[in-house]
Amino acid sequence: MPQEKRWTRPIIYVGAIVACGVVLLFPLLTFVDGYRELAAAAAAEAEDHAGVVSKLAAEDPRYWAYKADRLAIAIGPIPTEGVQRVILDAAGERIAELGAAPASPVIAGRAEVAENGLRVGEVVITASLRPALARAAWALLFG
């Protein structure tokens, strides 16, 4: 009988750890999936906009960075809430931006703006991770 009591507490601890792991696994996987989805979307959007901005830079290599209005049009309409689009020059200074800064925590997709093979700037798409965190919280509560 005393030997059975000796194993009861460790078995309860192991069972509790396994149960916590099982409970947290689905929300964790939900968050990772949402994170990867947002990261891929931000990177793809940055690549698309960098291509357009690179064409504008090729048209007027010397003065492309001073055409903020054309650049703002090139990076599309005002993004949805929680997304910001920014064009930076080679020195990292903001040339144009659309959308308000998203709420923390954020993820950023970056793409190089090139003219004749030289880096002349960068397009940065910043998105909030709050939707991914909200889905993970829902999965924790109701999953």
Side-chain angles (χ1 to χ4, degrees):
M1 188 76 172
Q3 191 167 2
E4 287 180 13
K5 281 190 172 187
R6 189 174 65 158
W7 288 103
T8 304
R9 186 169 291 167
I11 290 174
I12 290 173
Y13 288 149
V14 169
I17 291 170
V18 169
C20 288
V22 169
V23 167
L24 295 177
L25 182 65
F26 183 63
L28 177 65
L29 292 176
T30 302
F31 172 73
V32 169
D33 182 52
Y35 179 88
R36 293 177 68 193
E37 180 182 324
L38 287 171
E45 189 175 342
E47 285 289 330
D48 289 345
H49 292 303
V52 173
V53 174
S54 292
K55 288 179 185 175
L56 288 173
E59 288 174 7
D60 193 1
R62 189 173 296 189
Y63 299 108
W64 74 273
Y66 299 106
K67 298 179 179 180
D69 293 339
R70 285 190 70 197
L71 293 171
I73 292 169
I75 59 175
I78 296 174
T80 60
E81 186 178 337
V83 177
Q84 182 181 41
R85 298 177 187 144
V86 178
I87 300 175
L88 306 172
D89 64 8
E93 298 293 322
R94 287 180 186 232
I95 298 172
E97 71 179 78
L98 284 176
S104 291
V106 298
I107 188 167
R110 298 174 176 272
E112 185 177 277
V113 175
E115 195 274 315
N116 286 335
L118 297 174
R119 182 185 180 278
V120 294
E122 184 177 38
V123 174
V124 181
I125 307 297
T126 308
S128 177
L129 282 173
R130 286 190 178 182
L133 290 170
R135 281 188 287 187
W138 280 107
L140 180 63
L141 293 174
F142 301 110

